Amino acid sequence: MDFLQPTSLSEALAMKAERPDATPIQGGTDLMVDINFDRARPSATIDLNRVPELMDIEHVGSDVWVGAGVPYLRIMRELQSDAPGLCMAARTVGSPQIRARGTLGGNLGTASPAGDTLPLLVAIGATAEVASSERGRREIPVRNFIIRPRHSALESDELIVRVRVPKARGPQQFGKVGQRNAMVISIASFGLAFDLDQRAVGTGIGSAGPVILDAPEANAHVAEVFSTEGLWDSAAPLPDGVAKRFGELVGQAASPIDDVRGTARYRRHALSVLAARSLKWAWNEHRETTKGTRA
Amino acid sequence: MKVTLRVNGQTVEAEGVWPGASLLTMLRDDLELPGSKNACEQGECGSCSVLMDGELVCACLVQAGQAEGRDIRTVEGLSGEGDGDVGDVQQAFLDAGGVQCGFCTPGFIMAVDHLLSHEPAPSDETTREALSGNLCRCTGYEKILDAVRLAAERRADGSAVATTGGAQR
Ligand SMILES: Cc1cc2nc3c(=O)[nH]c(=O)nc-3n(C[C@H](O)[C@H](O)[C@H](O)COP(=O)(O)OP(=O)(O)OC[C@H]3O[C@@H](n4cnc5c(N)ncnc54)[C@H](O)[C@@H]3O)c2cc1C
Ligand code: FES
Ligand code: FES
C-alpha cells in the first residue's frame, strides 16, 4: 500500500488522476474501519488532511462553502446560526472522538443512505462541488450524489472539494431514530428546512431507501396550507392535522427495506412521527423567535 | 515507511511502519507505548483515545502517516516517570473505584483529562456527553462519574497531586 500526502488541491487532483485506484482518506472514521477489518486494501491512500483548500469555511453571499475536510466539531462550533440543521445533524454523528475527525467529504464519499448529514443537506438544497485536474470543477446536488449504496456520482479522477450550504432562511430540524443515544447507525433519519423567503419547505429522508430521498408532495402540502391559511405572514399556530398529514406524506415518500436494524413498516412509521414532530418543533421555534423580535 | 511525530512532548521516529497501519498500532507495536488499548478497532469503544493536536481522537482510526509531524499525547504522558506513578485523574479513578478490569481506563483517563482541561467543573450531563465515546463493560459508569467529580474537586481546591511510587488502593 502506498501512502500519498499532497499539500495542495492541485497536487491532490494530479495524484488522483494518475492513480484513479487510490482511495482518499480524510478523517478515516469510515475508511480505517474497513482497512482494520481487511474489508478494504486500497493500493494507495491519498491523505487529504494537509490540503488547506479542503479546510476552509467561506461565506459568499447567501451561501456558506464548507470544505470537504472540515471536521464536524468545527462545523458545530462555527455554523450554528447559518446552518442550524446541519449542526444538529453533526451533533448526532458518532461520539466526540468521531466528530473531531469525521467530515462532510467523508459522509458524502461513503455514499451511505444512512449518512446523517445528507438528509439535512438535501432538505436545504445543498450541492457538492467536485473537481478533477482535467475537467475542473462541477457541482452535484447532494440529492443526486448517491447513485446506489456505496456508489456516488464521483468520477474516478475526482475529489470532493467543498459543500455549498445555503444559509438558513427559516427554522430547520434534524432527527434520527436509532437504538440508543450515542454512536448508532440510524434506522431512519429526517431533515427539514423552512425557506421563509421562498415560502417553501424542504425535506430529506435518510436510511429509508437506496439513496437519500425527498418528499415533494409533503413539502407542497405544507406550503399550500400555509398559503391558504396565511401562516407565512401571521406565524399563527399550526392548523390541526397539518403535521399529521405531513408525516403521512413523508412516510409514503420513503421506500424502506427490512433489515437487521428495523422493518420497513417500522421505518415508515418512525419517519412519519419524526416528520410530524420536526414540523411542529420547527414552526414553534419560528413563532417563538418572531414573537421575540416583535416584542 | 518512516513516520516522525511528537509523542508526549518528545520527537520520535517509527521505522518500517506498514502504511495501512493505524496510529494505534504504530504507538503500541512500533513505539512500544501499549497504554492506549486496542479493543474494537472500529471507533466504538474509545479505549484507544489519544490527543492529536489537542483534540480527542480514536487512534485506531488515524492512519499512521496522517500523524506525521503531529503532536500526540497518550496516557503514558499523564503519569509520572517512575513505574507505578499515576497522574491526578488516574488517582481519582483508583480512589473512586472507577477501575475494574482496567481495559477501558486509559481511554477514559484521556477523555476525562481532556474534558477537565476545557471544563474544570462539568455538570454530570456534560460529563456523560464528553464520555459518550468511551465504553466500559465493568463499572456501570457510576464510579467513573464519581471519579470525574473527585478529580474536578481536587483540581479546584488544589489538592490534586500526582502520586509517585506504586498506585494506592
Ligand atoms: C464509531 C462510529 C460511529 C459513527 N457514527 C456515525 C453516525 O452517527 N452518523 C453518520 O452519518 N456516520 C457515522 N459514522 C461514519 C463516519 O464517521 C462518517 O461517515 C464521517 O462523515 C466520515 O468522514 P471521514 O472524514 O472520517 O471519512 P473517511 O473515512 O476519511 O472517508 C470516507 C470515504 O469518503 C471518501 N472521501 C473522503 N473525503 C473525500 C474527498 N474529499 N473526496 C472524495 N472522496 C472522499 C474516502 O475515500 C472514503 O471512501 C460513524 C463511524 C464510526 C467509526
Ligand atoms: S479500539 Fe479504537 S475505538 Fe475501540
Ligand atoms: S473497567 Fe473493565 S471495561 Fe471498564
mmCIF file of all heavy atoms in Angstrom, chain B residues 24 37-48 58-61, ligand 2:
data_model
loop_
_atom_site.group_PDB
_atom_site.id
_atom_site.type_symbol
_atom_site.label_atom_id
_atom_site.label_comp_id
_atom_site.label_asym_id
_atom_site.label_seq_id
_atom_site.Cartn_x
_atom_site.Cartn_y
_atom_site.Cartn_z
ATOM 1 N N LEU B 24 -2.750 3.780 16.301
ATOM 2 C CA LEU B 24 -2.773 2.913 17.486
ATOM 3 C C LEU B 24 -1.743 1.794 17.375
ATOM 4 O O LEU B 24 -0.960 1.559 18.298
ATOM 5 C CB LEU B 24 -4.182 2.316 17.672
ATOM 6 C CG LEU B 24 -4.333 1.351 18.852
ATOM 7 C CD1 LEU B 24 -4.062 2.053 20.186
ATOM 8 C CD2 LEU B 24 -5.728 0.728 18.860
ATOM 9 N N LYS B 37 -5.249 1.260 24.438
ATOM 10 C CA LYS B 37 -5.680 -0.128 24.248
ATOM 11 C C LYS B 37 -6.363 -0.349 22.911
ATOM 12 O O LYS B 37 -6.998 0.550 22.356
ATOM 13 C CB LYS B 37 -6.639 -0.532 25.377
ATOM 14 C CG LYS B 37 -5.992 -0.519 26.754
ATOM 15 C CD LYS B 37 -4.944 -1.614 26.885
ATOM 16 C CE LYS B 37 -4.189 -1.533 28.198
ATOM 17 N NZ LYS B 37 -2.771 -1.175 28.024
ATOM 18 N N ASN B 38 -6.245 -1.568 22.440
ATOM 19 C CA ASN B 38 -6.912 -1.968 21.202
ATOM 20 C C ASN B 38 -8.023 -2.941 21.540
ATOM 21 O O ASN B 38 -7.770 -4.080 21.897
ATOM 22 C CB ASN B 38 -5.900 -2.632 20.269
ATOM 23 C CG ASN B 38 -6.546 -3.115 18.991
ATOM 24 O OD1 ASN B 38 -7.773 -3.015 18.837
ATOM 25 N ND2 ASN B 38 -5.759 -3.636 18.079
ATOM 26 N N ALA B 39 -9.271 -2.471 21.433
ATOM 27 C CA ALA B 39 -10.381 -3.360 21.792
ATOM 28 C C ALA B 39 -11.307 -3.623 20.620
ATOM 29 O O ALA B 39 -11.794 -4.733 20.447
ATOM 30 C CB ALA B 39 -11.176 -2.775 22.950
ATOM 31 N N CYS B 40 -11.566 -2.604 19.789
ATOM 32 C CA CYS B 40 -12.570 -2.824 18.741
ATOM 33 C C CYS B 40 -12.041 -2.479 17.350
ATOM 34 O O CYS B 40 -12.547 -2.979 16.364
ATOM 35 C CB CYS B 40 -13.835 -2.018 19.032
ATOM 36 S SG CYS B 40 -13.644 -0.245 18.768
ATOM 37 N N GLU B 41 -11.074 -1.600 17.294
ATOM 38 C CA GLU B 41 -10.530 -1.108 16.022
ATOM 39 C C GLU B 41 -11.581 -0.538 15.088
ATOM 40 O O GLU B 41 -11.410 -0.516 13.883
ATOM 41 C CB GLU B 41 -9.747 -2.216 15.294
ATOM 42 C CG GLU B 41 -8.424 -2.518 15.947
ATOM 43 C CD GLU B 41 -7.486 -3.243 14.994
ATOM 44 O OE1 GLU B 41 -7.783 -4.403 14.688
ATOM 45 O OE2 GLU B 41 -6.483 -2.638 14.567
ATOM 46 N N GLN B 42 -12.713 -0.114 15.647
ATOM 47 C CA GLN B 42 -13.712 0.491 14.773
ATOM 48 C C GLN B 42 -14.351 1.732 15.389
ATOM 49 O O GLN B 42 -15.485 2.087 15.042
ATOM 50 C CB GLN B 42 -14.762 -0.525 14.349
ATOM 51 C CG GLN B 42 -15.393 -1.289 15.488
ATOM 52 C CD GLN B 42 -16.405 -2.301 15.005
ATOM 53 O OE1 GLN B 42 -17.146 -2.054 14.065
ATOM 54 N NE2 GLN B 42 -16.443 -3.455 15.645
ATOM 55 N N GLY B 43 -13.635 2.391 16.284
ATOM 56 C CA GLY B 43 -14.112 3.678 16.777
ATOM 57 C C GLY B 43 -15.247 3.616 17.775
ATOM 58 O O GLY B 43 -15.764 4.653 18.186
ATOM 59 N N GLU B 44 -15.629 2.408 18.185
ATOM 60 C CA GLU B 44 -16.823 2.269 19.014
ATOM 61 C C GLU B 44 -16.541 2.384 20.504
ATOM 62 O O GLU B 44 -17.417 2.749 21.269
ATOM 63 C CB GLU B 44 -17.471 0.894 18.789
ATOM 64 C CG GLU B 44 -17.945 0.640 17.374
ATOM 65 C CD GLU B 44 -19.351 1.159 17.132
ATOM 66 O OE1 GLU B 44 -20.013 1.567 18.105
ATOM 67 O OE2 GLU B 44 -19.772 1.159 15.960
ATOM 68 N N CYS B 45 -15.327 1.998 20.940
ATOM 69 C CA CYS B 45 -15.132 1.795 22.384
ATOM 70 C C CYS B 45 -14.332 2.889 23.057
ATOM 71 O O CYS B 45 -14.412 3.056 24.259
ATOM 72 C CB CYS B 45 -14.477 0.440 22.635
ATOM 73 S SG CYS B 45 -12.709 0.407 22.236
ATOM 74 N N GLY B 46 -13.522 3.616 22.309
ATOM 75 C CA GLY B 46 -12.755 4.723 22.893
ATOM 76 C C GLY B 46 -11.548 4.302 23.719
ATOM 77 O O GLY B 46 -10.868 5.162 24.280
ATOM 78 N N SER B 47 -11.245 3.018 23.778
ATOM 79 C CA SER B 47 -10.125 2.605 24.639
ATOM 80 C C SER B 47 -8.777 3.004 24.041
ATOM 81 O O SER B 47 -7.756 2.941 24.713
ATOM 82 C CB SER B 47 -10.166 1.096 24.900
ATOM 83 O OG SER B 47 -9.945 0.394 23.713
ATOM 84 N N CYS B 48 -8.773 3.426 22.784
ATOM 85 C CA CYS B 48 -7.543 3.863 22.123
ATOM 86 C C CYS B 48 -7.424 5.383 22.082
ATOM 87 O O CYS B 48 -6.603 5.919 21.348
ATOM 88 C CB CYS B 48 -7.550 3.345 20.688
ATOM 89 S SG CYS B 48 -8.896 4.053 19.724
ATOM 90 N N CYS B 58 -9.830 8.777 18.200
ATOM 91 C CA CYS B 58 -9.574 7.347 18.315
ATOM 92 C C CYS B 58 -8.317 7.045 17.500
ATOM 93 O O CYS B 58 -8.310 7.196 16.269
ATOM 94 C CB CYS B 58 -10.724 6.537 17.737
ATOM 95 S SG CYS B 58 -12.250 6.699 18.674
ATOM 96 N N ALA B 59 -7.264 6.596 18.178
ATOM 97 C CA ALA B 59 -6.013 6.321 17.463
ATOM 98 C C ALA B 59 -6.187 5.190 16.448
ATOM 99 O O ALA B 59 -5.440 5.116 15.464
ATOM 100 C CB ALA B 59 -4.909 5.975 18.457
ATOM 101 N N CYS B 60 -7.179 4.346 16.646
ATOM 102 C CA CYS B 60 -7.374 3.227 15.711
ATOM 103 C C CYS B 60 -7.915 3.697 14.365
ATOM 104 O O CYS B 60 -7.923 2.928 13.405
ATOM 105 C CB CYS B 60 -8.292 2.162 16.315
ATOM 106 S SG CYS B 60 -10.026 2.647 16.481
ATOM 107 N N LEU B 61 -8.408 4.949 14.304
ATOM 108 C CA LEU B 61 -8.992 5.439 13.050
ATOM 109 C C LEU B 61 -8.106 6.470 12.349
ATOM 110 O O LEU B 61 -8.496 7.044 11.337
ATOM 111 C CB LEU B 61 -10.380 6.043 13.313
ATOM 112 C CG LEU B 61 -11.420 5.086 13.909
ATOM 113 C CD1 LEU B 61 -12.751 5.801 14.077
ATOM 114 C CD2 LEU B 61 -11.594 3.853 13.019
HETATM 115 S S1 FES C 2 -10.006 0.419 19.676
HETATM 116 FE FE1 FES C 2 -10.267 2.395 18.857
HETATM 117 S S2 FES C 2 -12.271 2.869 19.492
HETATM 118 FE FE2 FES C 2 -12.090 0.805 20.127
#
